[in-house]
Amino acid sequence: MSVENRVRRLGDASPFYAQQLRLHPDWIDWLDKPKNRDYPYRYASLEDLWRRRFCPDGFSLAALRQFRRRMSLRIAYRELNGLADVETSWRELSMLAEFVVRRLCEWRFAEWLHRFGEPWCDAEDQRAGYCIFALGKLGAGELNFCSDLDLIFCKAGSGHCRKNGRPTGVTTREFYASFFRQIAADMTAPNEDGVLYHIDLRLRPEGDSGPVVRTASSLVNYYWTAGQTWERLAWLRARPIAGDLALGHGVMEEINPFRYPRFPPNNLMNEVAGVKLRTEKEVPADELARDIKSGPGGIREVEFIVQALQLIHGGKNPFLQTNSTVKAIQKLARYEVLPLDDACFLDHAYRWLRKLENRLQMRGETPRHCLPSNAEEQRWLFGAMDYEDWDTFAADMEHWRAGIRARYVARFPADPQEERIQAWTTFLAGQAPEPSLRADLERWFPDSDEVEARLRKFVLGDSPGLITRDAVLRFLDLAHHFDRTLPRLARPMLTLERIGRFAEHYGARRHFFRDSANPTLFEILSLLFDRSQFIHELLCRHPGIMEELLHEAPKRLKTRRDCRDEIQLLAPGEDGFAQRLWLYVKAEQVRMAIGELLHGLSLEAVGWALSQLAEAVVCETMALAQVEAFTVVALGKLGAEELTLGSDLDLMLIAPEPLDDDSSARLRDWCALLMHNGGLGPMFVVDLRLRPHGEAGPLAVTLPALRDYHASTAKAWEKQILVRSRPIAGPEAVQAAFVAWRDEMLYQKPMTAAEVGELWRMRQKIEQEKPASQPPAQRAFKTGAGGLLDLEFLTEALAMTHGPSNMELRQPHARTCLLAAGTKGLFPQKLADELNENWNKLRQIEFSLRRQSFQPIIELPDDLTIRRTLARWHDFCDIEAFWREFSQMLATNRRALEDWLRESLPPEPASAPPATEVI
């Protein structure tokens, strides 16, 4: 086969490796050199290549990453082209991982010695060495392409570090804890060459709650006093791979009777079966049958058969003690522990499935064990496995998996539900979680700290010692919904804690768990409390709201009349009305948040409903404050019926006659009622600053005075705000007169270039006066270049320029105006659609941030955690992807505005948008 065909075969099986070769075309010649292509590597080969090609001038972490990537590529190239079998690949991948760990440790250890001094064991009065144990596939020497490295760290003793022969303030424990944390960080830190390896430290004593590193004696003592069956299984495949190997072998010798008990527990097979059953829960139920690792007849069932037999017989027969699965199968057959035909079958099946596992993971060099379900994915897979068609491949796979399953079931009868109950009971009692439970925790709470203690607190409350079967069952009923709901949360552990605090206000915790097993209630609470601290605090103070919300249709969009009818039931005029009204408003806002989160209500619909609510409150309170003779004109978001959570009510008041002191007092009382603070902020913030003469003017003006003001001293921007104005309360004749005057002001003739220029200067002034509090400037998604104000300015200017001749452009809604602009040919349709989409996305960002606190927010938060949370809320895998799209939106918006201004203001084109910065 030619090198071109070999490279093509590699590319067909793995687009990831094909991309690597496109980035590094010189690797192709290197791959096909006979010594790299035809012969397996020894450890010395890695050392030689590393020294000559990758670190001739010293160690480099970047070089180590590229070295690991190239070596993995070479192993895949050989295996895919039939130049190496799967067992050779295991050996070379394991050897490569060992090499990487050793080189990294040597480099960092020299650095730590220079920084902190020599770690010392006071009891032995000598340097305290360290050892890294590999478990799992690396420990077995059977690593695949994307295996996590299951590692356990230990050190020789305790004391203080020494520099120049003198003790320092740094203990040996601190030295090694910092050292191993740095090693883990180096291994898992991503860059353009990917990570070195994913590290799994969960198999260490006490799991995540235990120390990163223990002394050798502490490690041995733990297993002899508290070790569990799953830990016996894990240590069957353990071996020291880096550091002081003599120290490691000493530990292995001391815990060997734990790994291979001479008198194993009577229920050992049941416990092993329970471990296997719990591992199946890590896989979604709909994928389990296609999962070649954890599913029926998968890789793990072979390993559990082998390891269980080693546990039972290895203590009495040392010849069965090996950390390699394939070698263990051979030894079990040789010593007649495993029937020969079973051993032969399991050996072939295991190798076949591990080869398949390699093919799946080579595809993108990502952990993958699930068989593809679509034809295209199946095509590359059976080709990579050297089959002519899927049916033949599937038949062979069924043969191997069915045979494994039959042999497994014959040895492991188990009740998975009981095993799960026992596992969770043990965990809640304070023990480290078994592997399947730990996998659940990491799946549910991937970015949370102190998960175990916090989850115990969530389940048990203030009674950590009271662990009943009933409590465990109630929790498991609730946890049944975790896999569907928690991945949708940005902060799942914090959200559960909020749910727990709400439960204390709701009533007895056990009753809450019983009720929240209802998936709808749990989903509602989870999404609300994840997205909004304000809603959490509101419901904790007023848990009765939740009962009402459950009986109120979240998708129902209430009209102003609907809301007024409900407000009238609150007994206006009686004591406590303001508080009841405040609570009603907040409950309705929460209901709309539920509708948007769970039921697909658009922001357009939510904005309309919230505006209807605000109008109803305005109208009902006017009569109570005896100001119904005034006309209320809504501006801004309320005027455009685009109100959002925490929006101010921008209002302008028209008086029937010039104000006297009594009328002014009644208006102030009315505003105070609207701004009643029920304990978590005002009902609404009323903003009257857009009235004539601003804060220096009277609270309300007559319509003639308003006309005179605009005919004489009003600024261009005061005319511009009328585009999104509409009367919402007051005498109908005055409302009609206002509308007629407004339309005459705005649409009698097109806006002139001079007026456009004046408005643009005002827009630039706002941009300069309200920048982002910290760079980059793009964080100001409302006031900054390309933000919401740019699109509002553009649509309002379009309305004032083209509205006189195009009725469709006389729109208070930015979205509708942009659509009309595309239809009328004022913008290319594609650009109009893109601007409309950008408007919706920026509004969604604003809504998400405001939902968190019910406060006005005009810029992306500086806190990285909150920004990452925001990105997750908007379905981005990371903040960088979110930031790229966000920055592109702003640039597109500003460019469209500038292009329009160039046509309207040819002598003075707008300045170029600022360069995009990255947060």
Side-chain angles (χ1 to χ4, degrees), residues 555-814:
K555 294 181 68 173
R556 180 188 172 200
L557 300 177
K558 297 179 183 178
T559 65
R560 182 165 76 171
R561 183 69 262 170
D562 295 331
C563 294
R564 293 189 68 175
D565 290 343
E566 292 175 348
I567 291 171
Q568 289 169 8
L569 297 176
L570 300 176
E574 296 184 5
D575 291 343
F577 170 72
Q579 181 66 13
R580 292 193 298 273
L581 181 60
W582 179 89
L583 198 55
Y584 169 77
V585 169
K586 297 308 171 187
E588 282 298 298
Q589 291 171 340
V590 171
R591 189 176 67 84
M592 285 296 95
I594 293 174
E596 188 267 340
L597 277 174
L598 296 178
H599 300 283
L601 282 185
S602 67
L603 283 189
E604 184 180 10
V606 171
W608 178 86
L610 292 175
S611 300
Q612 294 290 299
L613 171 66
E615 290 178 38
V617 173
V618 166
C619 293
E620 287 299 316
T621 54
M622 287 181 73
L624 194 64
Q626 300 179 355
V627 294
E628 63 267 38
F630 290 83
T631 299
V632 180
V633 177
L635 306 170
K637 283 187 172 66
L638 181 56
E641 296 183 291
E642 295 172 342
L643 216 59
T644 187
L645 301 174
S647 288
D648 294 352
L649 301 187
D650 294 313
L651 304 177
M652 183 166 60
L653 306 178
I654 299 176
E657 56 188 22
L659 288 183
D660 55 23
D661 290 344
D662 179 63
S663 297
S664 294
R666 283 186 281 116
L667 284 176
R668 291 191 182 92
D669 289 343
W670 174 64
C671 290
L673 177 57
L674 289 175
M675 294 196 294
H676 172 76
N677 191 323
L680 290 171
M683 179 161 41
F684 294 107
V685 174
V686 178
D687 191 344
L688 301 177
R689 292 176 298 173
L690 297 181
R691 66 186 186 267
H693 304 292
E695 293 179 330
L699 292 177
V701 297
T702 63
L703 189 55
L706 181 63
R707 292 193 186 104
D708 292 343
Y709 177 77
H710 274 272
S712 56
T713 60
K715 303 291 193 298
W717 66 266
E718 292 179 286
K719 178 180 177 182
Q720 180 187 9
I721 65 173
L722 295 176
V723 173
R724 298 205 295 168
S725 68
R726 62 186 179 90
I728 61 173
E732 293 185 3
V734 180
Q735 293 189 46
F738 172 82
V739 171
W741 168 79
R742 179 202 65 189
D743 290 349
E744 180 182 359
M745 280 284 298
L746 293 175
Y747 306 123
Q748 187 176 36
K749 59 182 180 179
M751 184 168 55
T752 65
E755 290 175 315
V756 174
E758 183 180 349
L759 292 179
W760 176 236
R761 286 189 290 276
M762 185 63 179
R763 169 69 188 100
Q764 290 178 308
K765 182 181 178 181
I766 295 173
E767 185 176 330
Q768 293 166 3
E769 291 179 350
K770 294 185 177 181
S773 57
Q774 295 186 32
Q778 288 91 335
R779 285 181 50 224
F781 67 85
K782 182 173 183 179
T783 59
L788 284 167
L789 287 190
D790 265 11
L791 293 179
E792 290 178 2
F793 173 90
L794 177 59
T795 55
E796 290 164 358
L798 284 171
M800 297 169 69
T801 304
H802 298 281
S805 57
N806 288 285
M807 291 287 292
E808 293 87 345
L809 269 296
R810 300 180 185 182
Q811 296 287 349
H813 316 289

Side-chain angles (χ1 to χ4, degrees), residues 253-460:
E253 185 173 347
E254 288 197 57
I255 66 170
N256 203 55
F258 167 76
R259 298 197 303 156
Y260 294 101
R262 186 166 180 81
F263 300 101
N266 292 331
N267 61 347
L268 180 64
M269 295 300 281
N270 287 337
E271 291 187 37
V272 173
V275 174
K276 170 59 175 66
L277 288 167
R278 291 191 294 274
T279 64
E280 292 180 0
K281 301 300 181 181
E282 301 172 12
V283 181
D286 60 337
E287 294 182 4
L288 189 61
R290 294 187 289 122
D291 192 291
I292 65 165
K293 181 178 181 181
S294 300
I299 292 169
R300 275 184 170 162
E301 291 194 351
V302 177
E303 294 171 346
F304 276 112
I305 290 172
V306 172
Q307 291 165 21
L309 293 176
Q310 285 183 283
L311 274 181
I312 293 171
H313 301 281
K316 297 177 181 178
N317 185 348
F319 296 106
L320 299 178
Q321 298 178 12
T322 175
N323 53 6
S324 164
T325 302
V326 293
K327 290 180 180 177
I329 292 173
Q330 296 165 4
K331 289 177 177 290
L332 289 169
R334 180 177 179 181
Y335 291 97
E336 300 180 348
V337 175
L338 186 66
L340 184 59
D341 60 338
D342 284 355
C344 291
F345 183 91
L346 292 176
D347 181 76
H348 285 86
Y350 188 69
R351 294 170 189 271
W352 194 92
L353 286 176
R354 291 297 304 277
K355 177 181 176 181
L356 175 58
E357 181 184 40
N358 276 357
R359 297 299 186 269
L360 288 171
Q361 298 194 353
M362 286 177 192
R363 184 70 175 168
E365 204 173 82
T366 55
R368 180 178 178 183
H369 299 95
C370 192
L371 294 168
S373 56
N374 64 73
E376 183 178 351
E377 290 276 295
Q378 291 173 351
R379 190 174 300 110
W380 71 256
L381 181 58
F382 71 68
M385 287 291 289
D386 302 315
Y387 284 85
E388 294 294 329
D389 56 65
W390 178 260
D391 290 342
T392 306
F393 163 80
D396 271 10
M397 180 176 59
E398 176 61 23
H399 167 72
W400 295 121
R401 294 189 68 175
I404 293 170
R405 186 62 180 171
R407 289 163 174 82
Y408 178 84
V409 169
R411 292 171 172 83
F412 294 100
D415 178 357
Q417 177 62 16
E418 183 60 30
E419 293 291 343
R420 184 166 175 79
I421 292 169
Q422 292 305 317
W424 277 104
T425 302
T426 302
F427 165 75
L428 292 173
Q431 298 298 316
E434 296 184 4
S436 61
L437 267 63
R438 189 178 294 282
D440 286 342
L441 298 182
E442 294 210 346
R443 185 173 68 257
W444 294 334
F445 314 108
D447 301 319
S448 301
D449 298 324
E450 301 178 350
V451 167
E452 296 174 21
R454 293 164 72 182
L455 189 60
R456 291 183 187 113
K457 173 72 172 178
F458 170 70
V459 177
L460 303 174

